[in-house]
Amino acid sequence: MNKKGYFITFEGGEGTGKSTQIKLLADFLEKKGVVTVLTKEPGGTEVGQDLRKILVTGEPDKMDAVAEALLYYADRRIHMTKKVWPALEQGKWVLSDRFADSTVAYQYYGYNKKIDKSILQDLYNLAVGDFKPDLTILLDIDPQIGLSRSIKKAQGMQVKELRHEGREMAFHQNLREGFLEIAKENPDRFAIFDANQEILSLHTQIADYVMKRFGLI
Ligand code: TMP
């Protein structure tokens, strides 16, 4: 692939404010003259929307971590080939609300390491190859605060995407520690921000960081 744009991913547990922050960053970049594509996983494509419904609604135990990982990777493969890679080739910046770190955090750490981590690496190699994000922004928050935000938000939705929220608190604690662990293993790719703060002040910190990182001053 002849990549001309940048790929920035946002990660974090439930209710960190990712979707709000990613939109604010996309608007900010557009004002700077950068053409952006705002997307998400699961559900960044039409087929992905169907997979998303299967994955994020219904009973927490309707499938296990391996089945989930396969479906998240099916979504990811379609997302990469149909949307992310073509946009990057056109010089656009792609901002994705979640990517592969979510699979390691949720399906490996969240489930208390019940599946073999190497399965996830094999799926990554198969679906994504040696491509990876240029920057991953991790929004970190105490899961008690995040979950109550997320449940409140779902009250206004027609389809309640609360499958993962239905899990016990230990799952969400594991998730938070998992994300921090992944960030520690990939210090050059990750930037961690405290998500328990006012929306605009967090946005300013993220925007400043991105400007410096990509030389947009
Ligand atoms: P969202 O809350 O960002 O809309 O994401 C949808 C849900 O899917 C969220 O609970 C996290 C979960 N998820 C995984 O479990 N594994 C993955 O690989 C991805 C991308 C999301």
Side-chain angles (χ1 to χ4, degrees):
M1 189 214 355
N2 184 10
K3 175 174 166 292
K4 298 193 192 108
Y6 292 113
F7 183 46
I8 302 176
T9 58
F10 276 63
E11 297 281 8
E14 305 299 333
T16 56
K18 278 181 298 92
S19 355
T20 306
Q21 290 300 330
I22 201 168
K23 274 191 212 110
L24 288 170
L25 182 64
D27 289 347
F28 173 84
L29 289 172
E30 288 275 343
K31 282 192 197 119
K32 295 257 160 214
V34 176
V35 182
T36 61
V37 172
L38 186 54
T39 187
K40 67 177 176 185
E41 289 191 0
T45 61
E46 214 179 311
V47 180
Q49 281 295 331
D50 291 338
L51 290 171
R52 180 178 177 96
K53 186 154 178 279
I54 295 168
L55 282 160
V56 303
T57 63
E59 288 305 308
D61 295 331
K62 73 178 185 181
M63 62 186 124
D64 69 3
V66 175
E68 279 180 10
L70 291 168
L71 290 177
Y72 280 113
Y73 264 100
D75 169 74
R76 188 158 299 135
R77 175 71 188 175
I78 300 164
H79 192 212
M80 291 293 113
T81 55
K82 297 285 179 198
K83 192 167 180 183
V84 176
W85 289 335
L88 291 172
E89 277 178 0
Q90 290 164 13
K92 294 175 184 162
W93 290 33
V94 179
L95 310 187
S96 184
D97 189 339
R98 296 196 187 280
F99 182 58
D101 297 309
S102 275
T103 316
V104 178
Y106 279 77
Q107 279 66 51
Y108 176 69
Y109 287 105
Y111 287 106
N112 217 358
K113 309 184 182 172
K114 283 202 194 95
I115 65 170
D116 193 340
K117 206 175 178 185
S118 69
I119 293 176
L120 300 184
Q121 188 58 50
D122 290 346
L123 288 173
Y124 190 103
N125 296 342
L126 176 71
V128 187
D130 56 13
F131 171 85
K132 56 183 190 307
D134 297 288
L135 169 66
T136 298
I137 292 171
L138 174 60
L139 300 187
D140 178 56
I141 201 165
D142 176 340
Q144 299 271 13
I145 304 172
L147 273 176
S148 68
R149 279 190 191 178
S150 174
I151 290 165
K152 216 165 162 188
K153 183 174 154 196
Q155 280 165 357
M157 287 178 173
Q158 246 178 357
V159 180
K160 305 257 181 284
E161 297 188 336
L162 287 171
R163 183 162 166 258
H164 290 293
E165 281 84 343
R167 299 183 196 284
E168 57 200 13
M169 189 46 76
F171 178 92
H172 296 282
Q173 292 286 6
N174 291 341
L175 201 58
R176 182 187 199 188
E177 280 155 31
F179 272 123
L180 292 171
E181 188 64 37
I182 301 168
K184 216 159 95 188
E185 286 164 7
N186 299 276
D188 296 341
R189 176 163 65 84
F190 268 84
I192 306 174
F193 294 87
D194 176 6
N196 190 21
Q197 55 173 315
E198 204 265 317
I199 291 176
L200 283 180
S201 100
L202 178 55
H203 165 62
T204 306
Q205 287 168 31
I206 294 173
D208 284 350
Y209 181 88
V210 168
M211 287 221 297
K212 282 198 198 99
R213 173 111 176 194
F214 296 101
L216 277 179
I217 310 293

